[in-house]
Amino acid sequence: MTTYSIDDAAWGSPWRRRRVGEKMLLSLALVLTALLTPPWPGCVAVALFSVFLILGPARIRPSLLATVLVAPLTFLLLGTLPVVIQFGGDGWGVGPLRLTQEGLTTAAGLFVHGIAGTLAIMVLATTTPMIDVLTWLRGVHLPDPLLEVASLTYRLLFLLLATTIAVRGAQQARLGDEATFRRRWATVAATTGSIILRTWDRAARLQRGLEGRGYEDSLVTLAPIRRRSWSFVAMTAVGVSGVWLLCLAAA
Amino acid sequence: MTEILGALDLTAGFPGSPPVLDGACVSIRRGVRMALLGQNGSGKTTLLRCLAGALTPIRGTIRANGTALAHDRASLRAHRRLVQLVLQDPDDQLFSADVTQDVSFGPLNLGLGEAGARARVEEALELLAITHLAERPTHQLSYGERKRVAIAGAVAMRPSVLLLDEPTAGLDPAGVAELMATLDGLDTTVVLATHDVDLALSWADEVAVVSGRRVRQGDPSILGDAELLASARLRRPWQLELLHRLGLSANPLPRSVDDVARAIQ
Amino acid sequence: MTEILGALDLTAGFPGSPPVLDGACVSIRRGVRMALLGQNGSGKTTLLRCLAGALTPIRGTIRANGTALAHDRASLRAHRRLVQLVLQDPDDQLFSADVTQDVSFGPLNLGLGEAGARARVEEALELLAITHLAERPTHQLSYGERKRVAIAGAVAMRPSVLLLDEPTAGLDPAGVAELMATLDGLDTTVVLATHDVDLALSWADEVAVVSGRRVRQGDPSILGDAELLASARLRRPWQLELLHRLGLSANPLPRSVDDVARAIQ
Amino acid sequence: MHIAEGFLPPLQCAAWFAVAAPFVIHGGRAVVREARKSPENRLLLAAAGAFTFVLSAIKLPSVTGSSSHPTGTGAGTILFKPPVMAFLGTVVLLFQALLLAHGGLTTLGANVFSMAIAGPWAGYGVWRLFKAAKAPTWLGVFFAMAVANLFTYCVTSLQLALAYPDATTGFLGALAKFLGVFAVTQIPLSIAEGVLGVLLFGFFTRV
């Protein structure tokens, strides 16, 4: 399941010990570059640089990266369709809709922007577990209760997903696939309902467990010590400005 | 006795990590009561899931009634009528609002009509001695009760082989004794994964030990094999350990306190 | 030895249902290793939660170091420094996805600074032999590993009394042996709820049996008391059962296989 | 289906952040208020957030071929009111962007506006309307959940149409095209989410 794989990769990443702020800077700089530069050569360069970072120093399996890209690719294919096909104009088409050269160019550009942007975000996502992002946000002074709700959401999420996957597997074992349409619906509703009840119960039990550990009004924890790496920051600066220089040269 | 279910040269695990089982073989004869032993994480659950058709092995074959299981949809459906797996955590299996509804899920999927399914539910609840729970909401039941309902859900499908993953974990001694008595009342082949070596010795006709990604199978006397137990990080059942310390023979195999007392006297 | 924690005439339960405990007394002496026995639902967990100050009793007193516990916020806070409870299901206690962060929660609540808390975390992870898990995500850990992290979270608060609810449930024999060795390495008073009578006999200095809403406390030899065990729906430890069958004396109390062998020879 | 990273022009990204921010801040204040009232509420809200996330991973029978999923915000908006959903929805969208590569960070503002603000408010409005009309509860649940779902994708289409107007017919033509791709295909799914809501409502009256 992809949910686990990006997160698993992030936990096991050799870049996990790097400062979140530094990875954030790199990833966001790449995203902004992808947004602001033309598809060629800017976005292509961002995409290639991101793929290099993800597969190279961050050591993510290529098959994982491919799985991860399925969702954004689906959106990009669907989302560019209405851009490719225009009302009126010259070209091949059905009824009032026309496949125009201009539409194709815009759509292709959009597609490349999307791929580059997604890959740039994946530099962060595949190297930084969610909990690190949330702990980092504490440093930018978001109110504690909000971050606590978000952190607890993250923890409960895995408990819930594990149960959901197990329950659905068990239903299959009892021939759930062979149920009639109506009963399949009843099953989905009952499963969802049971999982809601269980989530509530889990939350209540976790609350009691935490009270026993001294929980009164905040879930304070230590933040991991991470050393600043000027070479990483320098790499970011060189990489991103390299892309910009490339664009200026091409223009 | 003939084999009803087996695994040949089974390699299985999860993508991206080393296989949990590698070249494991096991053969389950019709009507046998088999205890599957092994430490946490040894691959007991993986083996059970492969045997149940819930996990497709990387390599190797699952045999059911002498035929290799193809992992296509139709074959898996047929396989699920033959083999039912009860998971360790009953909450992974129960999803309906009340007990009767939950137990009826499998039988209705078998295409039994309303009346047929109802009969199966009654039968299963009776076999598990939980007829009194029929109308209760599942989420109000105790852990032990939920375990029984989960087993009833599998039993109601009348499988030929019932695979149970740690059914005794979390039960108190009286609960374990009652559950084992219930299992003895079923006329299916039963494979029970556990890490309770004492229980395995006292209950099983046959023992399979998972260790080093393989399975070693034999009659319960293999639980006296120090080398095998050490490799599986299991201890000897106390019955065998005591006789060993006393320098007495463990033949006939002492299954109960009485047997041990008899061997000593 | 003096009492460190105790309950006097304790009545406790949940609103709207009959009390789980009614007039229960227990006294835990400093430095003792106590096993708390009882079947599922007997009230072991309720007793532990009362002792930890997590549940306010309907009637009766919790005594800590000779003083009755008032259930106001400040007293409870002080009580938690003294007594820590580890729940049966580690998922009821672990809230952070990161092991180090989770274990640091208690020490930071004690008001220790960053450096102090970090030292406590390291110490606790080392005591529980899980230093290698420090950077791992909670949701990727096995059940046994999560149990250890939960215990580390309590140990990091350096309580005088550690209450453990079924810490061995779901662990394999090697895991149980390792956990018990770890507990022996702690210099706190330990109360361990279990329904493993064999384990209780081999490990505990003192035994408390919960049955009929009350607690019967004594040295481990009370585990030979047939009447008490029957009322608590527990069985005799095999060590005592075997000597009983053989008509031999259980004095000195046989805790291990060796002790039994010695008694027989 | 959320707008992918890199798909919106920078200025529009910023604009949608600006539009969404007040709602999310307002929601965040509501959550802080609830959380301060009792720590228990934090766990409850986290459970709701986790559930909203998981619901989008639950496949509904019969709706094959659609690449979209339930939004899960309709039920939440009835239970917790739209401001709280604005915050929880933002958290869920952030998780989806980083854990599943669904959506993105620069498009987060736009996605938050459609899924965590517009959808929940529309659903809540419908819910209140049916309440006021004294309609049966199940009917209110159905329409609240279906509308919250469908409206989310209508707003997504609108956002995309604003960004990429049609060459000759402009915004309206583009809106028709994007609605055709994202909203029309969503109709069966929004009905499905409504049906799920009704069945869930039935489940909870039985337990």
Side-chain angles (χ1 to χ4, degrees):
Chain A
M1 176 135 194
T2 38
T3 318
Y4 289 110
S5 33
I6 298 186
D7 193 67
D8 284 353
W11 280 95
S13 161
W15 278 11
R16 168 139 203 247
R17 308 290 288 277
R18 298 208 167 278
R19 284 203 168 191
V20 179
E22 289 171 10
K23 289 183 280 186
M24 202 69 108
L25 179 72
L26 170 64
S27 187
L28 289 182
L30 286 173
V31 170
L32 290 179
T33 309
L35 273 185
L36 295 169
T37 57
W40 176 262
C43 288
V44 173
V46 168
L48 289 176
F49 187 44
S50 302
V51 169
F52 163 74
L53 291 174
I54 293 170
L55 301 183
R59 287 210 292 273
I60 302 299
R61 278 183 293 126
S63 60
L64 170 66
L65 187 62
T67 337
V68 162
L69 285 177
V70 172
L73 276 176
T74 319
F75 174 86
L76 290 174
L77 284 174
L78 282 175
T80 47
L81 195 67
V83 181
V84 174
I85 296 167
Q86 301 279 337
F87 283 106
D90 309 322
W92 176 86
V94 184
L97 296 169
R98 288 284 174 278
L99 195 69
T100 62
Q101 184 57 45
E102 196 197 341
L104 265 176
T105 316
T106 322
L110 254 181
F111 199 84
V112 177
H113 271 293
I115 294 286
T118 304
L119 285 168
I121 291 290
M122 285 304 111
V123 171
L124 177 71
T126 56
T127 57
T128 316
M130 202 66 218
I131 188 77
D132 289 357
V133 176
L134 295 173
T135 311
W136 179 79
L137 285 173
R138 219 180 257 279
V140 299
H141 300 297
L142 276 185
D144 273 355
L146 299 184
L147 292 174
E148 275 169 28
V149 170
S151 312
L152 290 168
T153 302
Y154 180 65
R155 170 89 184 103
L156 287 172
L157 190 75
F158 286 94
L159 292 175
L160 265 188
L161 267 179
T163 316
T164 309
I165 291 167
V167 169
R168 294 187 70 93
Q171 283 167 355
Q172 214 172 35
R174 283 156 80 194
L175 300 172
D177 298 352
E178 288 180 45
T180 57
F181 179 73
R182 237 189 104 194
R183 294 194 50 249
R184 281 224 298 280
W185 266 102
T187 305
V188 169
T191 309
T192 314
S194 307
I195 290 172
I196 293 179
L197 286 179
R198 240 165 258 162
T199 317
W200 258 220
D201 182 49
R202 276 240 155 268
R205 284 183 2 218
L206 188 54
Q207 167 69 26
R208 287 204 296 266
L210 289 177
E211 275 169 12
R213 296 177 64 188
Y215 181 31
E216 283 174 3
D217 39 43
S218 105
L219 287 172
V220 278
T221 61
L222 287 176
I225 303 172
R226 295 191 168 90
R227 263 170 249 300
R228 174 166 310 291
S229 160
W230 287 114
S231 56
F232 191 87
V233 178
M235 185 272 287
T236 303
V238 170
V240 173
S241 48
V243 175
W244 280 99
L245 286 175
L246 202 66
C247 295
L248 285 178
Chain B
M1 282 192 284
T2 54
E3 177 190 279
I4 187 164
L5 186 66
L8 187 69
D9 204 18
L10 194 72
T11 300
F14 303 93
S17 40
V20 183
L21 296 172
D22 193 352
C25 298
V26 69
S27 174
I28 301 155
R29 286 168 304 134
R30 187 180 294 278
V32 86
R33 298 191 296 187
M34 179 185 270
L36 184 65
L37 287 158
Q39 63 167 320
N40 291 341
S42 60
K44 294 194 297 291
T45 302
T46 304
L47 178 59
L48 290 181
R49 294 189 61 213
C50 285
L51 287 171
L55 184 70
T56 308
I58 300 170
R59 248 196 331 276
T61 323
I62 298 296
R63 271 189 322 261
N65 280 323
T67 319
L69 171 68
H71 283 80
D72 60 89
R73 212 163 151 152
S75 316
L76 284 176
R77 272 186 199 177
H79 193 71
R80 289 182 190 131
R81 286 160 193 259
L82 184 78
V83 182
Q84 277 289 307
L85 167 62
V86 180
L87 305 173
Q88 174 168 3
D89 186 348
D91 289 338
D92 288 346
Q93 222 149 337
L94 305 179
F95 64 91
S96 299
D98 71 58
V99 170
T100 300
Q101 260 185 37
D102 207 284
V103 177
S104 70
F105 179 69
L108 285 171
N109 292 339
L110 284 175
L112 298 171
E114 179 108 347
R118 203 169 290 280
R120 285 284 186 93
V121 172
E122 275 169 29
E123 176 191 273
L125 294 182
E126 207 158 299
L127 277 167
L128 271 296
I130 47 170
T131 309
H132 60 289
L133 301 180
E135 312 252 301
R136 293 273 300 281
T138 28
H139 64 271
Q140 277 180 16
L141 303 179
S142 76
Y143 184 72
E145 288 169 337
R146 293 208 301 282
K147 281 220 158 183
R148 281 181 174 255
V149 174
I151 299 174
V155 164
M157 316 249 328
R158 284 211 198 131
S160 303
V161 184
L162 189 62
L163 309 174
L164 301 156
D165 196 1
E166 301 275 0
T168 61
L171 297 185
D172 57 30
V176 172
E178 281 165 11
L179 180 65
M180 299 318 281
T182 304
L183 292 182
D184 284 349
L186 303 177
D187 55 353
T188 50
T189 307
V190 178
V191 179
L192 181 152
T194 180
H195 33 236
D196 187 338
V197 284
D198 301 341
L199 180 80
L201 180 65
S202 67
W203 172 80
D205 303 326
E206 194 147 357
V207 168
V209 177
V210 190
S211 95
R213 299 179 195 175
R214 299 194 167 220
V215 182
R216 164 92 178 276
Q217 182 178 357
D219 69 283
S221 67
I222 64 168
L223 291 176
D225 180 341
E227 209 174 310
L228 172 68
L229 293 171
S231 79
R233 298 218 326 153
L234 294 171
R235 59 169 178 75
R236 251 200 206 122
W238 70 264
Q239 298 94 325
L240 301 179
E241 183 66 28
L242 181 67
L243 292 182
H244 177 75
R245 297 279 172 104
L246 292 169
L248 296 171
S249 153
N251 196 357
L253 203 66
R255 287 167 170 272
S256 61
V257 175
D258 280 331
D259 291 351
V260 177
R262 220 170 294 131
I264 291 171
Q265 273 162 348
Chain C
M1 283 191 285
T2 55
E3 177 190 280
I4 187 164
L5 186 65
L8 187 70
D9 204 18
L10 194 70
T11 300
F14 302 93
S17 40
V20 183
L21 296 171
D22 192 353
C25 298
V26 70
S27 173
I28 301 154
R29 286 167 304 134
R30 186 180 296 278
V32 87
R33 298 192 296 187
M34 179 185 270
L36 184 65
L37 288 157
Q39 64 166 319
N40 290 343
S42 61
K44 293 194 296 290
T45 303
T46 305
L47 177 59
L48 290 181
R49 294 191 58 215
C50 285
L51 286 171
L55 184 69
T56 309
I58 300 170
R59 250 198 327 278
T61 323
I62 298 296
R63 272 189 320 262
N65 280 324
T67 320
L69 171 68
H71 283 80
D72 60 272
R73 207 163 153 153
S75 314
L76 284 176
R77 210 179 276 174
H79 194 68
R80 282 190 205 117
R81 286 160 192 261
L82 185 78
V83 183
Q84 275 290 306
L85 167 62
V86 180
L87 303 173
Q88 175 169 3
D89 185 347
D91 290 333
D92 290 348
Q93 229 155 347
L94 304 177
F95 69 95
S96 176
D98 181 277
V99 170
T100 303
Q101 291 190 22
D102 198 284
V103 177
S104 73
F105 175 66
L108 287 172
N109 281 333
L110 288 178
L112 295 173
E114 164 126 21
R118 213 169 280 280
R120 286 285 185 93
V121 172
E122 273 168 31
E123 176 192 272
L125 293 181
E126 206 159 298
L127 276 168
L128 272 295
I130 46 170
T131 307
H132 60 289
L133 301 180
E135 306 248 306
R136 291 277 302 284
T138 318
H139 56 261
Q140 273 181 20
L141 302 182
S142 74
Y143 183 73
E145 289 170 335
R146 292 207 303 283
K147 281 218 158 184
R148 281 180 174 256
V149 174
I151 299 174
V155 164
M157 302 188 64
R158 284 210 198 132
S160 304
V161 185
L162 189 61
L163 309 174
L164 301 154
D165 197 359
E166 301 276 2
T168 61
L171 297 187
D172 58 32
V176 172
E178 279 165 13
L179 180 65
M180 300 317 282
T182 305
L183 293 182
D184 285 350
L186 303 178
D187 56 353
T188 51
T189 308
V190 177
V191 179
L192 181 152
T194 180
H195 34 235
D196 187 337
V197 284
D198 301 341
L199 180 79
L201 181 65
S202 67
W203 172 79
D205 305 324
E206 194 148 357
V207 168
V209 177
V210 189
S211 96
R213 298 178 196 176
R214 299 193 168 221
V215 182
R216 164 93 178 275
Q217 182 178 0
D219 70 284
S221 69
I222 64 167
L223 291 175
D225 181 340
E227 208 175 311
L228 172 68
L229 292 171
S231 79
R233 297 217 328 152
L234 294 171
R235 61 169 176 75
R236 251 199 206 121
W238 70 264
Q239 298 94 324
L240 300 179
E241 183 65 28
L242 182 67
L243 293 182
H244 177 75
R245 296 280 173 103
L246 293 169
L248 296 171
S249 151
N251 196 357
L253 201 65
R255 286 166 170 273
S256 62
V257 175
D258 281 331
D259 291 351
V260 177
R262 220 169 293 130
I264 291 172
Q265 275 162 345
Chain D
M1 191 106 288
H2 314 306
I3 302 177
E5 185 58 71
F7 206 79
L8 288 184
L11 273 179
Q12 300 207 9
C13 291
W16 287 115
F17 267 105
V19 174
F23 289 93
V24 177
I25 291 169
H26 176 233
R29 287 231 175 91
V31 168
V32 171
R33 218 167 28 243
E34 291 296 313
R36 293 253 154 86
K37 240 187 261 167
S38 123
E40 237 154 278
N41 288 337
R42 287 175 215 200
L43 272 298
L44 196 69
L45 290 170
F51 188 77
T52 311
F53 185 95
V54 170
L55 193 63
S56 67
I58 287 182
K59 254 204 251 147
L60 298 174
S62 87
V63 201
T64 44
S66 171
S67 56
S68 303
H69 44 75
T71 55
T73 52
T77 201
I78 296 174
L79 289 173
F80 297 102
K81 307 242 157 54
V84 170
M85 273 327 276
F87 174 74
L88 289 184
T90 304
V91 172
V92 168
L93 280 164
L94 182 68
F95 283 15
Q96 286 180 336
L98 291 181
L99 294 177
L100 300 171
H102 282 191
L105 292 188
T106 61
T107 52
L108 191 64
N111 287 328
V112 163
F113 185 77
S114 63
M115 191 188 102
I117 296 165
W121 273 108
Y124 189 70
V126 168
W127 168 249
R128 295 305 301 245
L129 212 66
F130 275 75
K131 279 285 257 199
K134 301 218 167 22
T137 311
W138 65 266
L139 201 66
V141 170
F142 174 83
F143 277 102
M145 287 184 70
V147 166
N149 181 314
L150 191 59
F151 196 65
T152 298
Y153 291 93
C154 290
V155 173
T156 301
S157 306
L158 183 127
Q159 291 168 328
L160 291 170
L162 275 176
Y164 302 104
D166 189 71
T168 46
T169 52
F171 168 72
L172 285 178
L175 184 62
K177 287 187 293 182
F178 281 108
L179 280 173
V181 171
F182 288 104
V184 174
T185 56
Q186 192 65 23
I187 290 173
L189 213 108
S190 64
I191 293 172
E193 193 167 341
V195 170
L196 179 67
V198 174
L199 291 174
L200 267 179
F201 179 70
F203 178 87
F204 283 112
T205 50
R206 261 179 290 133
V207 294

